[in-house]
Amino acid sequence: MSVAGLIRMGDNTLVLGQRLSEWCGHAPALEEDIALANMALDLIGQTQLWLGLAASREEAGRDADALAYHRDAWDFRNLLLVEQPNRDFGVTMMRQFLFDCWHFEVLQALAAHPDAEVSAIAQKSVKEVTYHRERSSDTVIALGDGTEESRGRMQGALDRLWPYVGEMFSTDDDDLTDMTALRPAFDAYAETVFAQATLTRPDSDFAHMGGKTGARHSEHLGHMLATMQVLPRSYPDATW
Amino acid sequence: MYAQMIKSEATQDDPEKLAAFQARIDAGDKIEPKDWMPAGYRKTLIRQIGQHAHSEIVGQLPEGNWITRAPTLERKAILLAKVQDEAGHGLYLYCAAETLGVSRDKLTEMLLDGRMKYSSIFSYPTLTWADMGAVGWLVDGAAIMNQVPLQRTSYGPYARSMVRICKEESFHQRQGFDIMMKMANGTEAQKRMAQDALNRFWYPSLMMFGPSDAESVHSEQSMRWRIKMNGNDELRQKFVDQTVPQAEYLGLTIPDETLAWNEEKGGYDFAQPDWSEFFDVLKGNGPCSVERIEARQKAWDDGAWVREARLAHAAKKQAAKVAAE
Ligand SMILES: [Fe+2]
Ligand SMILES: [Fe+2]
Ligand SMILES: [Fe+2]
């Protein structure tokens, strides 16, 4: 069982949780503010589980916080999709939808993983993520179908983020499950939502790669980590 | 408090109805949305509940400022949950205000154009992680002082929202104190942050209770209506008496050289905050006043297309449902 695969799971939830938390106090309506914080909270909680398990399996004297706060960008193994900036609410929710659809399939697969600790985390997380996917689907449908302006923004968001979908389904031996096998279920589900949202799936399946292998992250990740890690890095002797 | 300097409306209703209304309040009855109420009571309550709601929402900003920099995953989760609670408080309070006939959108508009205020405390900046401790400990602490008695206020929906809110506020205060303990018992740098946070937040916290009762012209009517339960000075004294021993326990110094135990009154003597600073803050000259409203205005403007789209989609769904029937 690969520690690198656990770190991939935890880095995805950490980076996306951090992105969502940037919205706090700034969302389009109170209900959205609360819902975004809720998802961020779930993802940070999942991070503690995945990175906690990774730390205990690697036996290098680190804990989840050490992994979150004391690694540089090149050691992060999250997907490029989740480190993309929030931009407007449409991009944020489209990013969320694409991630939730993938995340749901992965967690379903991992719920049956032979490693009991992995399957326990997946079973707990899939309950939360089922709700995330429901809510982000509803939002994509409402905003896609809403007004002319909102449809334009959502189609723009989909076009902009689609090149980050392919990486989610690339796979290697470090992954906890075969990611390529999850693509048909993802496509089928996403297609029904796009239809209701009156959105068109982009033609090109070109995919940016390099996040989950750490070979080449985007420029955005370094800035995020500089903010996120500032206190533990500046005051290494402190406990909080 | 979260509602400061609330102007009480004189009321010109039928004296008989007024007397009967006052009798209900004196008997401890709860006034419900469908009941008759004096126009002044309604107007004053809208102002008070609205200002309280705005304070919860604007109050998200100074703490939201540190969520992305919280120093551990657990602290990040706790702070996120806290700020999310504050948004929830805003939501309950806007709902309570709506029962009086004013919409959330209308109240928001009045906050943004300056006709309505939010608590002076949220116009101060949060500069270090210790401020997350100080805000929970002092600001939520001061809020509780005033909100616990409001659970017995005469207006039913307001009283009920206070019951829910108070439970969460005391949790916030404990979490804030827990951060302060870590900081005050930490490294030299952490101790310095803790003392600095107390230095900056002490007097603004005292201001939360509003100016001395002697100068508060509107208190009396609101007290008779039971929408203000205690005097400002009384609550401020209670807050100081509760907080001084906690600061001692933390090993921090309250930035007031005149602070002394007064055996005779059984409480501390303490220095008043600079009230001219308080009035400047209320006028929009707090250190972060411009940024706070700018942030709320930006959220409102940037979110317009989302709110419109949700309405448009809901209307289309409704129309499709009608057509199918
Ligand atoms: Fe609150
Ligand atoms: Fe509060
Ligand atoms: Fe609070």
Side-chain angles (χ1 to χ4, degrees):
Chain A
M1 219 279 320
S2 130
V3 170
L6 295 169
I7 288 182
R8 282 178 178 170
M9 294 303 291
D11 284 350
N12 281 326
T13 52
L14 173 58
V15 170
L16 188 56
Q18 174 77 4
R19 274 286 181 244
L20 291 177
S21 74
E22 292 169 10
W23 273 102
C24 199
H26 306 280
L30 267 177
E31 289 82 352
E32 310 284 6
D33 213 296
I34 292 170
L36 287 165
N38 221 7
M39 282 193 294
L41 263 175
D42 288 344
L43 293 172
I44 298 300
Q46 292 170 20
T47 303
Q48 290 174 291
L49 299 176
W50 288 122
L51 294 186
L53 183 58
S56 82
R57 292 289 170 89
E58 74 169 7
E59 294 178 358
R62 299 196 284 187
D63 60 9
D65 281 331
L67 288 173
Y69 289 95
H70 292 281
R71 283 179 301 150
D72 276 334
W74 56 22
D75 287 329
F76 271 71
R77 292 292 178 267
N78 59 279
L79 297 160
L80 294 173
L81 176 73
V82 293
E83 68 194 47
Q84 296 308 302
N86 289 336
R87 304 194 191 280
D88 72 351
F89 187 74
V91 171
T92 294
M93 290 312 296
M94 184 58 78
R95 183 186 65 200
Q96 191 64 38
F97 171 71
L98 296 171
F99 180 77
D100 290 345
C101 292
W102 170 83
H103 202 197
F104 176 82
E105 302 300 339
V106 177
L107 292 173
Q108 281 229 309
L110 295 184
H113 197 278
D115 186 309
E117 285 183 281
V118 170
S119 77
I121 297 175
Q123 281 167 26
K124 181 184 181 296
S125 305
V126 79
K127 289 189 198 123
E128 296 168 347
V129 171
T130 301
Y131 179 69
H132 297 179
R133 188 178 74 154
E134 224 172 87
R135 196 170 189 287
S136 61
S137 303
D138 286 350
T139 304
V140 165
I141 291 168
L143 300 183
D145 174 63
T147 62
E148 209 174 311
E149 180 187 4
S150 72
R151 176 179 299 131
R153 284 181 185 256
M154 295 314 282
Q155 185 65 54
L158 178 56
D159 294 347
R160 178 150 198 172
L161 294 173
W162 194 251
Y164 299 100
V165 167
E167 187 187 19
M168 300 198 283
F169 301 99
S170 66
T171 206
D172 60 29
D173 290 343
D174 282 342
D175 282 322
L176 301 180
T177 186
D178 175 12
M179 299 295 172
T180 54
L182 308 174
R183 182 84 199 231
F186 170 94
D187 280 334
Y189 180 84
E191 206 54 62
T192 64
V193 171
F194 292 151
Q196 293 174 76
T198 70
L199 297 175
T200 312
R201 176 192 156 137
D203 288 333
S204 167
D205 274 335
F206 171 78
H208 290 293
M209 299 286 181
K212 67 184 280 184
T213 62
R216 189 170 63 208
H217 280 282
S218 70
E219 291 180 346
H220 307 295
L221 183 63
H223 291 280
M224 172 191 278
L225 296 184
T227 300
M228 187 179 90
Q229 297 178 336
V230 63
L231 285 176
R233 298 289 194 118
S234 306
Y235 303 97
D237 306 333
T239 55
W240 306 94
Chain B
M1 203 35 53
Y2 280 15
Q4 295 160 325
M5 308 278 294
I6 298 299
K7 189 162 160 271
S8 213
E9 289 290 326
T11 208
Q12 285 144 347
D13 297 281
D14 175 358
E16 235 168 82
K17 274 184 163 175
L18 273 180
F21 180 77
Q22 190 62 49
R24 285 191 63 192
I25 288 186
D26 294 343
D29 265 15
K30 287 273 177 274
I31 308 301
E32 294 300 332
K34 292 211 167 73
D35 297 348
W36 183 86
M37 63 185 83
Y41 176 85
R42 182 186 301 272
K43 233 175 146 178
T44 308
L45 262 179
I46 289 175
R47 205 173 277 153
Q48 180 169 333
I49 299 173
Q51 193 184 112
H52 191 163
H54 297 328
S55 299
E56 301 285 356
I57 300 313
V58 177
Q60 286 186 275
L61 298 170
E63 289 182 286
N65 183 37
W66 280 90
I67 291 175
T68 56
R69 290 176 290 171
T72 70
L73 294 171
E74 193 188 353
R75 292 287 180 203
K76 190 187 291 293
I78 292 170
L79 185 58
L80 249 171
K82 187 208 185 226
V83 180
Q84 185 193 32
D85 283 348
E86 305 299 3
H89 298 172
L91 202 53
Y92 311 151
L93 287 161
Y94 284 124
C95 290
E98 279 178 340
T99 65
L100 292 160
V102 58
S103 72
R104 199 204 305 182
D105 285 2
K106 180 75 193 166
L107 289 170
T108 302
E109 191 187 299
M110 290 199 281
L111 169 69
L112 295 179
D113 71 17
R115 273 177 293 164
M116 287 187 85
K117 305 282 178 215
Y118 58 90
S119 176
S120 56
I121 192 71
F122 300 121
S123 283
Y124 288 86
T126 54
L127 303 178
T128 74
W129 176 251
D131 289 18
M132 296 305 97
V135 168
W137 172 38
L138 300 173
V139 176
D140 288 86
I144 291 167
M145 288 276 145
N146 157 275
Q147 292 173 7
V148 165
L150 278 175
Q151 295 178 102
R152 293 176 288 110
T153 187
S154 62
Y155 188 55
Y158 191 25
R160 287 187 291 273
S161 62
M162 278 305 141
V163 173
R164 284 184 78 172
I165 288 174
C166 281
K167 273 191 211 132
E168 292 176 349
E169 297 295 11
S170 29
F171 189 65
H172 297 167
Q173 195 198 14
R174 279 202 299 277
Q175 298 289 1
F177 194 74
D178 185 59
I179 293 179
M180 283 315 261
M181 289 236 289
K182 275 275 187 209
M183 299 299 280
N185 295 312
T187 63
E188 278 314 306
Q190 285 175 300
K191 283 185 188 142
R192 184 176 161 197
M193 289 181 211
Q195 182 62 52
D196 173 62
L198 177 56
N199 292 348
R200 281 180 291 104
F201 276 99
W202 175 251
Y203 288 106
S205 299
L206 296 186
M207 290 177 198
M208 286 177 69
F209 299 93
S212 177
D213 299 311
E215 286 145 57
S216 296
V217 267
H218 310 291
S219 292
E220 231 177 279
Q221 174 66 76
S222 288
M223 297 260 247
R224 263 200 310 270
W225 277 335
R226 290 177 66 82
I227 54 185
K228 184 176 171 71
M229 310 296 283
N230 307 79
N232 296 348
D233 292 321
E234 176 194 349
L235 289 174
R236 188 168 18 248
Q237 181 70 52
K238 222 176 137 189
F239 174 76
V240 171
D241 293 343
Q242 173 187 291
T243 308
V244 170
Q246 293 171 343
E248 277 168 9
Y249 180 79
L250 291 169
L252 299 176
T253 310
I254 304 249
D256 176 359
E257 284 174 8
T258 70
L259 189 83
W261 178 255
N262 180 332
E263 191 62 56
E264 207 175 313
K265 77 170 178 188
Y268 287 90
D269 289 331
F270 58 93
Q272 288 291 310
D274 175 357
W275 288 108
S276 68
E277 177 180 314
F278 171 77
F279 288 109
D280 277 335
V281 173
L282 282 201
K283 269 185 244 148
N285 291 321
C288 298
S289 302
V290 174
E291 281 100 327
R292 297 293 184 244
I293 291 300
E294 192 173 55
R296 291 310 310 157
Q297 182 77 55
K298 185 172 188 305
W300 183 248
D301 294 344
D302 291 354
W305 72 271
V306 177
R307 297 190 302 274
E308 282 160 20
R310 282 210 186 273
L311 286 175
H313 173 69
K316 283 185 203 176
K317 256 171 72 174
Q318 183 61 30
K321 211 178 126 198
V322 169
E325 274 161 15

